[in-house]
Structure formats: C-alpha cells, structure tokens
Amino acid sequence: MYPENTSHRPAEQTVTIHQPTPITPYPAAPAVPLQPGGVPAVASVVLPDGRVITGYAIEHNQAEPVTAKPLVSRAAVNIALGGIGFGAVCGGLVLLTTFIAALAALVQQLVILAAVIFGGFIAVQILTAGRRQGATTVNIRKAVIKRNHFHH
C-alpha cells in the first residue's frame, strides 16, 4: 500500500491516557448559631410535575428609587443663560457707545457754535468802536508823578 520509500509513511500515533486526579472534599463549614428571631421561614413549592422543593424564602433587597436625571445638565443651562446675558450686555454696550459718540458730537458742535457766537460778538465790538460819533479820545502822554500829584 505504501511505496518502498519510508520517508512518506505516517508516523505511528501514540495514545496517552490521562487519569483525572480525585478532588478531596473540603470539611463542612462550622454551623453558626442564628438568633431566634433571625431564622427565615421555610417555604415549599410544588412543581407541575409533582416534585416538591423546600427552601428558605429569600427577601429581595429593595433598591433605592433612582431619581430621574434632567435631560439637560445644570451646567449646560448655566452656560446657555450666561451666553444670553452676555449677548444682551453686548447689545447694550453697543447702544451705550453709540449714545456716547452722539453726545460727544453734540458737545463738539455746541463748543464750535459758542466760539463762533463769541468771536462774532468780539469782532462787532472792535469794528464798531472806531465808528461811534461823540466818542472821547484820550491820548496818554508821559506823565510825571511828584509828591503824590499828577502833572502833565
């Protein structure tokens, strides 16, 4: 069945059998006496196939009710309200700067108007002073003051 060449023959398979190691049973845990009021009630349940299962009733611990978390965190609400407030303040600041600029322009115009009116008043006084009829002209010459008397 195999050719003469032995290099192609399959190696013989060796079977190793492992025997399981026996588990030594642990000694039973010592029984702890329970308080008389702490013994749970024994309950029996009859299954539909007629078997009866007897055991201790276990009371399930009631979990504390979970408070519903808000859909949006308080930090996000505070950030949004801060942004709205900042936007309102910025709008007010824009209006305030516009008002200040308008007030400055008004003050500038009033100063220019006062300068024009006052300058015109001075110019009229100077120009009309030489044209008045009956005006007294005083020529001041060298005067000598001797012994508290004015001599000219």
Side-chain angles (χ1 to χ4, degrees):
M1 170 168 145
Y2 294 106
E4 297 283 332
N5 190 354
T6 59
S7 63
H8 295 292
R9 288 185 185 166
E12 290 186 24
Q13 295 178 350
T14 58
V15 178
T16 306
I17 299 174
H18 295 281
Q19 295 293 331
T21 33
I23 298 175
T24 57
Y26 286 101
V32 178
L34 295 175
Q35 297 292 336
V39 178
V42 177
S44 297
V45 177
V46 179
L47 297 177
D49 61 355
R51 291 182 294 164
V52 177
I53 298 176
T54 304
Y56 293 106
I58 299 174
E59 293 181 12
H60 296 287
N61 292 336
Q62 295 292 331
E64 293 183 21
V66 178
T67 57
K69 292 184 179 179
L71 297 177
V72 180
S73 69
R74 290 182 189 257
V77 170
N78 289 339
I79 290 171
L81 289 177
I84 291 170
F86 183 73
V89 168
C90 287
L93 289 176
V94 168
L95 291 176
L96 182 64
T97 55
T98 304
F99 175 74
I100 291 172
L103 187 63
L106 176 66
V107 169
Q108 181 183 7
Q109 294 295 324
L110 289 176
V111 167
I112 292 172
L113 180 64
V116 168
I117 291 174
F118 184 70
F121 177 74
I122 297 297
V124 168
Q125 292 298 320
I126 291 173
L127 293 176
T128 59
R131 296 182 185 172
R132 288 187 188 165
Q133 299 297 329
T136 305
T137 304
V138 178
N139 294 325
I140 299 176
R141 298 181 190 157
K142 269 189 180 179
V144 178
I145 300 175
K146 291 183 182 178
R147 293 185 198 154
N148 294 328
H149 293 293
F150 181 74
H151 299 281
H152 31 189

